[in-house]
Amino acid sequence: MGMHVVIFLCFQINSFAVSAQQQMETGGQRMPDEWIDQSTGRKVIRLTRRTGNNMSFYFHNNPFAGNKMVFYGTDLLNTNNNDSVKQETGNIPANNKQLYSVDLKNLKVEQLTFQPSPMNGEIIAPKGRLVYYQIKDSVFSTNIDSKQTKLVYVFPEDFKASITTLNSNETQLAGAWSSDKEKEIFRKNPGKSSYFELIYEAKEPRTLFTLDVKTKELKKIWTDSAWLNHVQFSSTQPEILMFCHEGPWHKVDRIWTINTNTREVKLMHKRSMNMEIAGHEWFGPDGKTIWFDLQMPRSVTFYVAAVDVQSGKERKFGLKRDEWSIHFTNSPDQKIFAGDGGDSGQVAKAKDGRWIYLFTPIGDSLSSERLVNMKNHNYRLEPNVHFSPDGRWIIFRANFEGHTDVYAVEVKR
């Protein structure tokens, strides 16, 4: 009798253990844990190997603490249907939403929280190895390694606000307070197409605040009769806080900063033509540069642009209509970019834009490579790209299997 030997190839690529796999169309079917996208030749792997829906953080929120990535998991729910409501971690109608971590070396998944009430917040303290989140009016922290959970702060009755960011030396949380009238508009109009103009036109007061995580001192640092949103601390400068004037992008000068010590407020980009839009802003890894999606005018000419926080000097890189992405981000070494593409219903009205993209600056333009074919993904769930800490993988979320999971695609073949 002959002996048949089957050899399974398994090897370490960058940070993730990956086994050799066949080429397959991505999505539209149950996928294995690893495969090669037949349209691009790139290896794709599933990072969140647990039953249920799994959602990575918003594109400008850092999910990493060392080799661990934090994400939200819920019970299983079909997320690839025709419902037009934009899906984010805070509004997926699934039960038992908890925080989890995945070790990027061995893909071990661990549950971090066991909260009986719904939570919100995507805030990591990588040095302290904590994740911060909020349940109603209470702020909590959970240690990513020990799972120890502490109550950090309870907002007073007259200032029910929400945390959204942590500064670079991990001493202050920040966020925005909104009026009861504004909260009621959100409650009655849960769809973005319903509330977006209503909140903008209401011009209710909003207040930016900081919260000292040790002393519990709450400071109200800026109030305006505008929709203050997307509050983000610089990744390296603990006193620089970015925020936006939310609303229809062609009606607002959107991107601003405030120095939390001096209270100096600065506009980062002034619109220069009718229907110009700038948005989906994020701090680059250096913490000194704000990057953003720039269209001059809207839906016609597309750029990824940057402004130096200190000098105000701007630069921009052009890209084609089909290459436009809902969100962009840059690598840890700031040499390349990624984008999550978009379908024909997005602002660019792309005919063939449903891809995860890699971009390389060449002169004043971006040269693109397609990494993952997203034709089976429903873009009401925005993929929200992140580079892995070593810069060798692009991490994104997708519903191309009918539910939501978090995946990684290799940057280099």
Side-chain angles (χ1 to χ4, degrees):
M1 180 180 293
M3 180 178 293
H4 298 276
V5 179
V6 180
I7 300 175
F8 291 92
L9 292 180
C10 189
F11 47 93
Q12 191 84 11
I13 291 188
N14 306 327
S15 289
F16 312 136
V18 180
S19 54
Q21 289 289 343
Q22 63 180 342
Q23 291 195 7
M24 300 177 64
E25 177 176 306
T26 294
Q29 58 186 317
R30 173 66 182 173
M31 304 300 295
D33 284 338
E34 303 108 10
W35 71 95
I36 295 172
D37 185 296
Q38 69 179 18
S39 299
T40 68
R42 287 300 209 282
K43 188 178 297 294
V44 184
I45 67 173
R46 185 195 318 275
L47 295 184
T48 50
R49 300 180 184 184
R50 62 170 292 275
T51 301
N53 284 342
N54 302 293
M55 294 185 71
S56 55
F57 283 8
Y58 194 54
F59 83 105
H60 65 54
N61 292 333
N62 169 45
F64 305 111
N67 286 316
K68 291 187 176 181
M69 183 190 80
V70 179
F71 65 96
Y72 274 104
T74 71
D75 293 346
L76 194 61
L77 178 76
N78 179 13
T79 60
N80 190 10
N81 55 45
N82 294 320
D83 187 345
S84 62
V85 175
K86 175 182 171 183
Q87 285 190 356
E88 295 293 352
T89 57
N91 69 357
I92 277 201
N95 294 322
N96 194 29
K97 185 176 74 173
Q98 303 291 344
L99 285 161
Y100 292 79
S101 70
V102 55
D103 190 313
L104 298 181
K105 286 187 173 180
N106 56 28
L107 301 186
K108 179 183 178 182
V109 170
E110 292 185 299
Q111 185 170 341
L112 302 181
T113 62
F114 299 84
Q115 295 286 359
S117 301
M119 65 180 72
N120 289 296
E122 303 177 5
I123 305 172
I124 300 296
K127 300 169 190 172
R129 300 190 65 77
L130 300 172
V131 54
Y132 288 93
Y133 53 94
Q134 190 167 336
I135 299 175
K136 298 179 181 178
D137 61 358
S138 300
V139 178
F140 295 87
S141 69
T142 294
N143 187 283
I144 294 169
D145 303 308
S146 70
K147 322 298 188 300
Q148 182 182 13
T149 296
K150 294 181 179 179
L151 175 65
V152 176
Y153 186 76
V154 179
F155 283 102
E157 192 63 35
D158 62 349
F159 197 79
K160 300 297 187 183
S162 299
I163 58 168
T164 57
T165 186
L166 178 72
N167 67 354
S168 60
N169 62 14
E170 303 183 359
T171 61
Q172 288 184 329
L173 292 161
W177 168 91
S178 60
S179 69
D180 290 340
K181 180 179 177 181
E182 185 178 305
K183 291 183 178 78
E184 186 68 5
I185 294 173
F186 273 116
R187 190 184 69 80
K188 291 182 176 179
N189 303 276
K192 186 175 181 180
S193 60
S194 301
Y195 71 69
F196 205 68
E197 287 277 358
L198 293 173
I199 297 295
Y200 170 72
E201 294 293 347
K203 301 209 180 330
E204 282 290 292
R206 276 209 174 198
T207 298
L208 300 177
F209 69 90
T210 59
L211 172 64
D212 190 296
V213 297
K214 290 186 177 179
T215 67
K216 318 304 180 188
E217 182 182 11
L218 178 75
K219 291 183 179 180
K220 303 171 186 179
I221 61 172
W222 180 256
T223 298
D224 198 355
S225 57
W227 184 0
L228 308 182
N229 201 15
H230 277 227
V231 183
Q232 309 168 49
F233 269 114
S234 162
S235 49
T236 61
Q237 301 181 86
E239 74 284 356
I240 300 300
L241 185 67
M242 175 169 59
F243 64 97
C244 80
H245 281 198
E246 188 67 275
W249 289 10
H250 62 283
K251 296 181 180 180
V252 294
D253 286 323
R254 178 179 164 101
I255 307 168
W256 301 73
T257 59
I258 182 170
N259 185 305
T260 59
N261 293 332
T262 67
R263 312 294 172 88
E264 179 188 13
V265 174
K266 294 170 62 177
L267 176 62
M268 290 288 100
H269 174 77
K270 178 72 175 175
R271 287 179 301 125
S272 60
M273 65 172 64
N274 184 42
M275 294 302 292
E276 176 181 338
I277 66 172
H280 279 164
E281 57 285 335
W282 79 95
F283 273 105
D286 63 7
K288 301 174 182 178
T289 308
I290 294 172
W291 293 87
F292 54 98
D293 169 13
L294 175 64
Q295 298 175 35
M296 304 178 70
R298 181 183 188 268
S299 303
V300 177
T301 307
F302 305 91
Y303 302 93
V304 174
V307 57
D308 184 278
V309 171
Q310 185 63 37
S311 69
K313 182 179 179 181
E314 293 195 19
R315 52 195 163 121
K316 60 183 187 287
F317 300 94
L319 67 162
K320 300 172 184 175
R321 181 179 299 276
D322 281 350
E323 297 168 338
W324 174 86
S325 296
I326 303 171
H327 307 105
F328 299 93
T329 192
N330 41 6
S331 58
D333 64 7
Q334 305 183 98
K335 293 181 179 179
I336 53 178
F337 296 83
D340 55 7
D343 62 21
S344 59
Q346 307 290 341
V347 64
K349 298 178 173 59
K351 293 182 179 179
D352 186 17
R354 297 166 73 170
W355 302 87
I356 299 297
Y357 284 104
L358 178 70
F359 298 105
T360 303
I362 299 178
D364 58 2
S365 299
L366 294 178
S367 174
S368 70
E369 291 182 73
R370 292 170 168 179
L371 302 186
V372 184
N373 189 332
M374 299 289 279
K375 72 176 185 179
N376 292 308
H377 172 76
N378 185 332
Y379 266 87
R380 75 191 179 95
L381 175 78
E382 297 169 350
N384 283 287
V385 282
H386 297 267
F387 277 90
S388 63
D390 60 13
R392 298 179 180 180
W393 296 80
I394 293 169
I395 295 169
F396 62 99
R397 61 196 187 194
N399 54 26
F400 46 55
E401 297 186 65
H403 65 278
T404 303
D405 256 327
V406 185
Y407 305 88
V409 58
E410 60 181 357
V411 171
K412 295 181 179 180
R413 294 183 190 275

